[in-house]
């Protein structure tokens, strides 16, 4: 399969030195890319600002903002069979980005934000017979909210995890996830290294493609 993976956070600047972002490190997305390559698939990895080395054999496209990530997904999606959206896309961006560093004395304490587009939902019209897989990081029992996101975003599978659990979520080497499917079935995976989670997700995608 030709697999498109997005990974890491996005970064939304308000001036040349300041930005809003989130705690994603890209580890889960890069682990997915490694697992997909090891299984013999072709991988295009669209990465937000992360400090991880490119998995050998992946074609990497670096982006910074959510809007750049959306453009990169639009460009790369037509050549792919599967899109796995693992990136923690910033939900909001500053309404304006100043070309010069904002002066502390002139800042009002109010930052005006505008919503970023939902990348998965925006490219849904391009889906065709491609498989779309999403991730849902929640705080608390994730499955009901994840089911809702899977329906809302037209996904074939969603990988849900509670980021407050020990050993799961951001910046950890391990993750504990549940795979959810549109027919209501679910697979709870044990706590395991992100690379093994990646292998399980890629195998599940393979089964969806060729049941
Ligand atoms: O942020 P949320 O929990 O809705 O994210 C769920 C899924 O949607 C993830 O797969 C994420 O990569 C994707 N997403 C997106 N564009 C956004 C926000 C999230 O594609 N602006």
């Amino acid at each position: 399969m030709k697999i498109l993976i997005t990974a890491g956070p996005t970064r939304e600047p308000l001036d040349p030195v300041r930005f809003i972002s989130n705690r994603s490190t890209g580890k889960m997305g890069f682990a997915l890319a490694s697992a997909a390559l090891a299984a013999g698939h072709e991988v295009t990895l669209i990465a937000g600002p992360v400090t991880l080395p490119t998995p050998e054999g992946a074609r990497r496209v670096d982006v910074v903002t959510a809007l750049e990530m959306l453009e990169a997904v639009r460009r790369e999606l037509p050549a792919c069979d599967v899109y796995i959206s693992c990136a923690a896309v910033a939900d909001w961006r500053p309404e304006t980005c100043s070309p010069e560093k904002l002066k502390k004395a002139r800042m009002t304490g109010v930052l005006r934000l505008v919503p970023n587009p939902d990348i998965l939902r925006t490219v849904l019209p391009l889906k065709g017979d491609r498989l779309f897989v999403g991730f849902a990081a929640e705080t608390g029992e994730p499955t009901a909210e994840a089911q809702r996101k899977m329906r809302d975003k037209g996904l074939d599978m969603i990988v849900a995890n509670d980021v407050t659990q020990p050993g799961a979520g951001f910046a950890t080497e391990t993750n504990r996830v549940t795979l959810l499917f549109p027919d209501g079935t679910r697979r709870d995976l044990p706590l395991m290294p992100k690379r093994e989670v990646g292998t399980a997700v890629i195998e599940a995608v393979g089964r969806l493609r060729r049941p």
Side-chain angles (χ1 to χ4, degrees), residues 6 66 83 85-91 116-121 133-138 149 153 155 158:
T6 60
Y83 168 30
S85 181
C86 190
V89 184
D91 292 313
N116 273 326
D118 189 292
I119 298 174
L120 271 170
R121 237 185 295 139
V133 177
F135 273 69
E138 309 290 344
K149 283 181 187 176
K153 299 180 194 236
L155 305 177
I158 195 158

Side-chain angles (χ1 to χ4, degrees), residues 50-67:
V50 297
T51 54
L52 299 171
T54 309
E56 203 183 317
R59 198 167 75 78
R60 176 168 175 175
V61 178
D62 285 307
V63 298
V64 177
T65 67
L67 293 178

Side-chain angles (χ1 to χ4, degrees), residues 39 45 52 58 60 78-79 88 96 107 112 124 180 184 187 189 205:
L45 180 58
L52 299 171
R60 176 168 175 175
T96 54
M107 291 170 87
R112 291 191 67 84
L124 198 53
L180 300 167
R187 243 183 92 208
L189 301 180
V205 169

Side-chain angles (χ1 to χ4, degrees), residues 15-87:
D15 72 13
V17 298
R18 302 181 180 100
F19 57 82
I20 56 174
S21 190
N22 59 63
R23 291 181 55 208
S24 171
T25 59
K27 278 185 181 160
M28 190 60 245
F30 276 58
L32 269 171
S34 298
L37 289 160
H41 303 296
E42 272 179 51
V43 173
T44 298
L45 180 58
I46 300 176
V50 297
T51 54
L52 299 171
T54 309
E56 203 183 317
R59 198 167 75 78
R60 176 168 175 175
V61 178
D62 285 307
V63 298
V64 177
T65 67
L67 293 178
E68 287 172 14
M69 187 171 276
L70 171 61
E71 281 322 300
V73 169
R74 272 206 180 108
R75 207 173 44 240
E76 302 298 336
L77 189 63
C80 293
D81 311 307
V82 179
Y83 168 30
I84 307 180
S85 181
C86 190

